DNA sequence: CTGGGTGCAAAGTATTTGCATGAAC
DNA sequence: GTTCATGCAAATACTTTGCACCCAG
């Protein structure tokens, strides 16, 4: 099942074909940058404009339907909002994969030290994947 | 003491007045984005060009004299390369501060799960600082 | 000296905006 | 029908490049 019509509406986004396609692509790819997303979208919508991509991505981020992932030395990626997770970057092949690590102790220790009320963590672990080692 | 002549040279960077000023500013401010850095530099070098800022920042990053810090929903900051540390972002006032947390358990757990050889972590903790709570 | 740095202007990329038309609800 | 999205073109923002001149080593 792969129907994002309601998910979009729950985020106050009209369910247009272009947006449904973006949701599908993010679902399939996990995360993707603007230009590659545009390339894929062109296959389905031969006259889609980059402006439409930007407008939708910005609105989807603003409405928390998707999230931006900032990667060291690379363009930002975008992914569907889901449970908290971190990202692994292979410094050689550039692949980015999701990983879930327990960060509770980090949060509590950082809260204590800083007296911040911490709401979220953005963590990217960089190194060499199994293949590239 | 605040002499970055040798530090620059050790990173294969000629010690020009402009570069020394950048080093001093980063030392003083901790981290700064391109535009604010340009504004501060203009006070010392009234005819400095943004191109010079970019060229120097890029070269300094390439030579590991400084590092880029990517912050959610904000422009990148630059800071002198120093011991590993994480960053705290206040989502209200936008202040970014350094924090050191023990991430060894995160690294070992992530290494096991992923079979990556992990080299570094980029962590930004977002929340509300003491004043903004 | 000599190689590399600086500042300027121009070029290149990336991203946003305004507007007329068209689609979602 | 009304509101909002789309696609196009233009504008803006951001970053890099080429070149003549100058300074650090």
């Amino acid at each position: 099942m792969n129907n994002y019509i309601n998910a979009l509406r729950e985020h106050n986004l009209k369910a247009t074909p272009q947006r449904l396609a973006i949701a599908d692509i993010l679902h399939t790819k996990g995360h993707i940058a603007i230009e590659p997303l545009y390339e894929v979208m062109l296959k389905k919508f031969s006259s889609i404009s980059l402006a439409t991509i930007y407008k939708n991505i910005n609105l989807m981020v603003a409405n928390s339907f998707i999230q931006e992932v900032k990667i060291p030395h690379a363009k930002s990626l975008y992914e569907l909002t889901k449970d908290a997770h971190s990202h692994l970057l292979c410094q050689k092949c550039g692949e980015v994969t999701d990983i879930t690590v327990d960060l509770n102790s980090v949060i509590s220790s950082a809260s204590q030290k800083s007296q911040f009320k911490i709401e979220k963590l953005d963590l990217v672990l960089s190194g060499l994947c199994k293949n590239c080692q």
Side-chain angles (χ1 to χ4, degrees), chain A:
Chain A
M1 289 278 305
N2 207 358
N3 185 335
Y4 284 102
I5 294 182
N6 292 322
L8 283 166
R9 290 185 185 155
E10 283 160 15
H11 290 268
N12 296 307
L13 297 164
K14 276 190 184 177
T16 66
Q18 290 86 342
R19 288 176 182 175
L20 289 167
I22 291 176
D24 270 344
I25 292 164
L26 294 195
H27 174 79
T28 303
K29 302 260 183 184
H31 31 257
I32 193 169
I34 296 288
E35 276 295 328
L37 173 61
Y38 178 52
E39 299 302 325
V40 180
M41 289 291 284
L42 270 177
K43 293 176 188 162
K44 285 196 176 187
F45 305 89
S46 55
S47 66
I48 197 176
S49 153
L50 245 187
T52 299
I53 303 282
Y54 277 110
K55 285 173 189 167
N56 279 326
I57 290 293
N58 288 343
L59 199 57
M60 287 169 159
V61 168
N63 291 11
S64 300
F65 179 69
I66 68 175
Q67 293 188 306
E68 182 177 9
V69 185
K70 293 200 170 191
I71 303 289
H73 309 299
K75 296 277 164 62
S76 288
L77 304 179
Y78 297 88
E79 65 185 16
L80 295 170
T81 299
K82 49 193 170 185
D83 289 348
H85 62 282
S86 304
H87 294 94
L88 271 166
L89 165 69
C90 176
Q91 294 168 321
K92 194 167 173 197
C93 69
E95 270 306 296
V96 174
T97 56
D98 290 354
I99 186 172
T100 303
V101 268
D102 180 11
L103 295 170
N104 287 314
S105 65
V106 172
I107 294 176
S108 60
S109 134
S111 303
Q112 277 197 325
K113 284 191 187 179
S114 64
Q115 300 191 280
F116 264 58
K117 182 175 187 309
I118 293 173
E119 310 248 310
K120 69 157 184 162
L121 301 201
D122 290 277
L123 172 62
V124 179
L125 304 104
S126 306
L128 293 175
C129 71
K130 204 182 174 191
N131 284 333
C132 290
Q133 282 175 37

